[in-house]
Amino acid sequence: MLRVAVVGSGPSGVYTAQALLEQSRVPDVRVHVLDRLPTPYGLVRYGVAPDHEKIKSLQGSLRAVLEDDRITFVGHAGVGGEGGLSPARLKELYHAVVYCVGAAADRPLAVPGEGLPGSCSATEFVSWYSAHPDAGADGFALRARSAVVVGVGNVAVDVARILARGAAELRGTDVPRAALDALGASRVREIHIVGRRGPSQARFTTKELRELGALPGARIAVDGAELAMDPAYAAAAEGPGTALPAVVRRNLDVLRGWAADPPPAPSGRDRRIRLRFFLRPVELLERDGRVAGVRFARTAPDGAGGVRDTGVYEDVEAQLVLRAVGYRGTPLPGLPFDPVRGTVPHLAGRVVRDGVASPGEYVAGWIKRGPTGVIGSNRSCAKETVASLVEDAPLLLGREVSADPLGALRDQGLRPVEWDGWLSIERAESTLGRSLGRGPVKIPDWSGLLDAARDGSR
């Protein structure tokens, strides 16, 4: 029997487990899917916006994999760091270990004032409204009148959309009670989504973009002069014969329509969302010890696919600044790490130590290839890694490992949450939702999650 540990229960980890079961060269495989959290599904649970129910429904297919008898979910089992299992110990317990730990860190802006209160990463904001147990209890939306989101990818659009939604629209989602109350009391009326390059280089999808225009009570403003600075904008206006990616053409068409129909100033509880381009943040401005605005340098195309500063500056008022400029992998103690790429060095998924592939250690997902692609990209990534693992199986099976890895984990003082514990958390969240007159509502704290899990094991 080939015993494999998969570290991480998000899409890359579950797809890795699925690929291990679907391969035929090693017929007898048992997989333990380990996660630091007591809950499965990774970013599908804690990173997908609550109003994106179609994407969140992916949990159903991930669930079907984790319910296979050959797979055991092992939550509340951290790897690396203080109190966590070491990679060396995992190698003693399993024939192979596949690390699917994602890219948990966000990229900084690296500008003066970034550390001021009111400035934070979009990752923190998403964790807050997604009830991640590591998230703080900051009522982000309560103090701000104007918010700036730096970045023009789907995460930037997600956080802007959540800021612009009313509490009534989010009440039918699993947003935790404190976050729903805070968003309902929000004073934000102006939301700026700002990119340092042009609209043709933005990373949001057309679907995400159009959702902004469909928000009740939201008015979309786009500066036609900023669109016209983008060389691709004129090419798109010439018609479908010009060579532009389809998504770029669709995005530019949506933006052109908004620029041609400027909205009136917001009134009452209306919110205005302004999409800005060719502005690079150079400083966060301070007043009374908090963020009060962002100073941007006006950029322009440099003719080589990048941008250059023009020497012109613009200040935008903001009491809340969210940076959404990308994710980055973080080192896992005991594993090699490439600080430039933010990934674990590998050859076709095999972890490389000192220039040589390390038998029995593998990576998949963002920690393998960097934060690129969509959720579905993890399937092919996982299959490549599993192909390498299966090729190595004759060597790996020659090594003796623990016949009871879970028992060994408990002997080390770990109190893992298995599938029954997760099902108990689900029931507790449904009960919480019913008490609030809502559907299931996420439990947002460690103690609540672990108490609910243990209630199911008594």
Side-chain angles (χ1 to χ4, degrees):
M1 178 187 295
L2 180 68
R3 297 188 180 277
V4 181
V6 173
V7 181
S9 65
S12 63
V14 176
Y15 292 152
T16 297
Q18 184 178 33
L20 281 163
L21 299 188
E22 291 177 346
Q23 58 77 35
S24 57
R25 291 178 59 183
V26 184
D28 195 5
V29 180
R30 294 296 181 272
V31 183
H32 286 179
V33 178
L34 280 62
D35 203 295
R36 183 178 69 88
L37 298 172
T39 56
Y41 310 139
L43 279 177
V44 177
R45 175 174 167 91
Y46 289 119
V48 174
D51 57 345
H52 273 176
E53 303 215 356
K54 183 175 181 180
I55 302 176
K56 287 178 73 68
S57 68
L58 177 63
Q59 291 184 21
S61 60
L62 301 181
R63 182 192 195 99
V65 176
L66 292 175
E67 287 182 330
D68 190 287
D69 290 340
R70 294 165 291 177
I71 292 177
T72 301
F73 172 69
V74 187
H76 196 217
V79 175
E82 186 176 352
L85 297 162
S86 70
R89 179 58 173 149
L90 286 178
K91 281 191 70 174
E92 294 172 354
L93 298 176
Y94 298 92
H95 292 111
V97 185
V98 187
Y99 294 91
C100 306
V101 293
D106 60 274
R107 295 183 181 274
L109 297 176
V111 300
E114 188 170 11
L116 287 168
S119 164
C120 63
S121 71
T123 303
E124 294 173 288
F125 187 63
V126 170
S127 293
W128 171 69
Y129 67 63
S130 297
H132 194 293
D134 290 341
D138 190 344
F140 288 94
L142 286 176
R143 295 181 288 271
R145 299 181 304 278
S146 176
V148 166
V149 183
V150 181
V152 283
N154 282 344
V155 173
V157 175
D158 278 348
V159 299
R161 191 181 65 255
I162 295 299
L163 277 172
R165 279 203 183 279
E169 299 168 62
L170 293 171
R171 185 175 173 81
T173 73
D174 58 8
V175 169
R177 177 169 47 181
L180 185 67
D181 291 345
L183 290 165
S186 170
R187 295 184 297 178
V188 173
R189 293 296 175 267
E190 195 94 16
I191 303 163
H192 305 260
I193 305 174
V194 187
R196 66 183 178 88
R197 298 194 291 180
S200 67
Q201 294 168 309
R203 297 298 183 92
F204 42 65
T205 61
T206 309
K207 178 180 181 295
E208 290 267 358
L209 194 59
R210 285 174 174 156
E211 284 178 345
L212 289 179
L215 290 174
R219 304 173 184 272
I220 311 298
V222 179
D223 187 333
E226 290 178 348
L227 297 185
M229 292 173 63
D230 192 325
Y233 184 69
E238 293 175 4
T242 53
L244 285 176
V247 65
V248 171
R249 184 179 298 281
R250 290 195 299 268
N251 286 349
L252 292 175
D253 285 346
V254 172
L255 293 168
R256 181 184 296 108
W258 287 339
D261 186 22
S267 61
R269 293 192 61 80
D270 285 352
R271 293 171 168 91
R272 177 163 56 188
I273 302 173
R274 298 176 59 89
L275 284 96
R276 304 293 308 277
F277 300 98
F278 294 111
L279 292 172
R280 180 177 68 85
V282 295
E283 182 181 1
L284 270 59
L285 307 176
E286 178 267 339
R287 183 183 302 123
D288 299 328
R290 293 186 57 84
V291 164
V294 185
R295 178 160 295 159
F296 290 98
R298 168 65 69 188
T299 64
D302 64 3
V307 293
R308 58 176 176 82
D309 285 354
T310 63
V312 176
Y313 295 88
E314 178 180 338
D315 292 351
V316 175
E317 177 195 353
Q319 299 80 39
L320 174 64
V321 177
L322 302 171
R323 62 182 182 273
V325 292
Y327 295 100
R328 181 175 176 80
T330 56
L332 190 71
L335 280 185
F337 187 73
D338 181 342
V340 176
R341 295 175 55 86
T343 57
V344 171
H346 71 94
L347 290 172
R350 298 178 176 94
V351 171
V352 171
R353 292 181 180 272
D354 301 320
V356 179
S358 175
E361 294 185 305
Y362 306 86
V363 284
W366 280 2
I367 198 63
K368 170 187 173 184
R369 68 182 192 274
T372 61
V374 296
I375 290 176
S377 306
N378 291 296
R379 286 188 181 275
S380 56
C381 178
K383 287 180 179 179
E384 179 191 53
T385 294
V386 167
S388 295
L389 191 159
V390 169
E391 186 177 321
D392 298 342
L395 171 66
L396 302 176
L397 285 166
R399 187 167 56 84
E400 287 191 16
V401 298
S402 172
D404 182 18
L406 273 182
L409 297 182
R410 292 190 182 94
D411 290 343
Q412 288 189 215
L414 270 68
R415 298 185 64 187
V417 172
E418 296 183 54
W419 194 250
D420 284 347
W422 158 240
L423 295 180
S424 181
I425 291 172
E426 281 193 318
R427 289 192 295 270
E429 292 182 337
S430 293
T431 299
L432 174 60
R434 284 195 299 272
S435 73
L436 300 172
R438 299 169 57 190
V441 172
K442 287 179 183 172
I443 297 171
D445 58 280
W446 276 99
S447 61
L449 289 169
L450 294 176
D451 286 347
R454 288 163 186 156
D455 284 347
S457 60
R458 290 171 184 166

